[in-house]
Amino acid sequence: MLNVQALTKKFGGFTAVSSISFDLAEGEILGLIGPNGSGKSTTFNLIAGLYAPTAGSIRFQGREIGGLSATQVCHAGIGRTFQIPRPFRKLSVIENVTLAAYYGQAGRVSEAEARRQAADALDLIGLPHARGEGIDGLGAAALKKLEMARALATQPRLLLADESLGGLDEAEMEQAADMLRMIRRERNITIIWVEHIMGVLMRVVDRVIVLDHGEIISAGLPAEVAADPKVIEVYLGSDAAEVQEHARGRDDGARR
Amino acid sequence: MDRRWLPALAALAVLPWVVPSSYVVHLLVQVLLWSFIYTGWSLMGRFGLVSFGHGAFMGIGAYAVVLLWNFHGLSPWLSIPIGVALAVAVAVLIGYPCFRFGIAGHYFALVTLALTEVVRSVIVALRDTTGGSLGITPNSVLKDGVTWSVQALQFADKRVFFYIALAAWAFGIWVWHRIDKSMMRYAMEAIGSDEQAAASVGVNVTRTKLAITMISAALTALGGALFGQYQQYVNPETVAGIGVSLQIVFAVIAGGMFVRFGPTVGAVFTLLLTEGLRVGIGNKVNALDSTIYGLMLVLFIIYMPTGILGKLAEKLRRARA
Ligand SMILES: Nc1ncnc2c1ncn2[C@@H]1O[C@H](COP(=O)(O)OP(=O)(O)OP(=O)(O)O)[C@@H](O)[C@H]1O
Ligand SMILES: [Mg+2]
């Protein structure tokens, strides 16, 4: 479904993403992890068309999408959330998502249908919208949900979820993890998930890629990656044992 | 617009027959035509696209009609669409590169300001055709007992033009309303708050901005054409200069650019202001009126950025809550 080859992004003389390559199969949930500043969000921005790659290629469903605009990438079927939520402040919750449903499908659906799909996405995510709620009253968790609902409303085949759990409590995190699994199951959406909360991530993803200084330092099954000395050294540290536990204790719900 | 507005429109329609003098009719026509132009501007302004180029669009509309009539005998019914198309073409020429390369805010304002000056200079430079800074009058058909001509869009009775202006104004309000209820408003609001996020949910930022700019330019050019036709005289300072652009921006900010009737309130307000200043101080002190104008603009931007009607709407909403 997605094929990334030697993808590189330089900001001036600084290399944020350094010749990374990976493949993603339809229906997979891939975890993309690594320390702060290792290039995870930059990788998303490259795939999603916010940045043009300095070098390398990104093929999505057989088509080169590297260098396309964000609008074009969205229309090609890739939805993304932002690490720090970026809601449209002057629109209500339902309007935020309706807009995404309408324009995300390049006007292929009617306004009424877009409204219906937006309500669906919000119901799926569990964010109230019936009374035309505005953005201003929303807390951190609700804003993350709005990000997710907006991305889903564009009806993507591939979802790039950037740190959806930051700022959530334990129960909300479990909910969100269930949600990603459900999104894959019900809508057959392939997912790349960037997350710092390893406990939850390791139990959900099928495969993990670890970035450090813009390079892939490890890739494989969760249990393999969690036991990789390089990963423990640069990222997991003293949490390694606990993360390994999570990786082994993957619920069966994770695999189909 | 729905049926509820019909009584209000009907009430407006009898106005020319009940007001005391043709001078008042003249003021009403002015208010309606400027309201229409201001409404056209606010289609962009309300979404943060602050243009100082609308003097150019107005001038293009006004001059196209007069020149095509005088030199080619083309009826305004044909030249108005041509003038509007020309203004839209210029809007695309300026807007596309701006939006494509992300020129926004102050830079966009400056680019459009330059456009206004370019159009004014061209009008002045082509003085053999345009009459230069002295302006030009459309050849009149109102002589030898002829008091009106539909084909020439010339009427001795101001009341006829009142209805044309009323129709234009109602059309402007209707366009505003339609856009307000459309997905385009969602898209423009989204672009206004975060262009990258808007693009990421599939909004074509350049195309959407360009579309709203084209609509806005078209209305303004139509307003300019009607204004020139009503005045039976066009002059680079009164229909095309930076002064006109500034007047448009000021009036809309004063009235309120985020509410449907804000630009209309702005037109009433600025007209009362200029007429008041004219009667009050006359021509005694040179340029005093434009000084007061500028001062008021500053005060409005600082203390009442949502304008008279916007402020009123806020107050009402708070009183109700
Ligand atoms: N637009 C930009 N211009 C310059 N440098 C940038 C830009 N975007 C990101 N960077 C740099 O690239 C590096 C990678 O940033 P990125 O946001 O991809 O990290 P990340 O892995 O998402 O980190 P975090 O876990 O903190 O979110 C950082 O050093 C960052 O400062
Ligand atoms: Mg990041």
Side-chain angles (χ1 to χ4, degrees), chain A residues 226 232 236-248:
Chain A
I232 295 170
L236 299 179
S238 57
D239 294 335
E242 194 191 326
V243 173
Q244 285 159 12
E245 182 102 4
H246 282 297
R248 276 197 303 275

Side-chain angles (χ1 to χ4, degrees), chain A residues 35-42 44-45 83-84 162-163 194 196:
Chain A
N36 290 116
S38 56
K40 306 182 293 294
S41 295
T42 303
F44 272 11
N45 286 333
Q83 182 168 2
I84 298 160
D162 200 347
E163 297 210 316
V194 165
H196 279 297

Side-chain angles (χ1 to χ4, degrees), chain B residues 156-223:
Chain B
D157 189 338
K158 284 189 180 3
R159 281 175 294 199
V160 180
F161 227 94
F162 172 87
Y163 292 106
I164 295 173
L166 184 64
W169 173 78
F171 173 63
I173 297 292
W174 177 78
V175 170
W176 202 101
H177 176 78
R178 282 301 299 265
I179 289 175
D180 194 52
K181 295 283 169 247
S182 74
M183 293 303 296
M184 196 181 197
R185 189 199 105 222
Y186 290 18
M188 283 305 298
E189 296 282 26
I191 291 169
S193 62
D194 191 331
E195 286 195 7
Q196 288 186 337
S200 294
V201 295
V203 175
N204 189 324
V205 176
T206 303
R207 194 192 300 170
T208 309
K209 282 182 171 179
L210 206 55
I212 202 85
T213 304
M214 288 163 75
I215 297 171
S216 179
L219 294 195
T220 305
L222 174 57

Side-chain angles (χ1 to χ4, degrees), chain A residues 50 70-71 74-75 78 80 82 86-91 95 98-100 102-104 111 115 150 154, chain B residues 46 181-187 189-191 193-194 196-205 208 258:
Chain A
L50 238 51
T71 310
C74 173
H75 292 164
I78 299 180
R80 64 91 51 93
F82 288 98
R86 290 163 74 164
F88 305 125
R89 293 259 158 216
K90 286 195 182 159
L91 298 176
E95 286 173 341
T98 302
L99 167 88
Y102 186 78
Y103 286 99
E111 226 179 284
R115 264 174 229 288
R150 217 167 62 179
T154 66
Chain B
R46 65 179 296 207
K181 295 283 169 247
S182 74
M183 293 303 296
M184 196 181 197
R185 189 199 105 222
Y186 290 18
E189 296 282 26
I191 291 169
S193 62
D194 191 331
Q196 288 186 337
S200 294
V201 295
V203 175
N204 189 324
V205 176
T208 309
F258 305 107

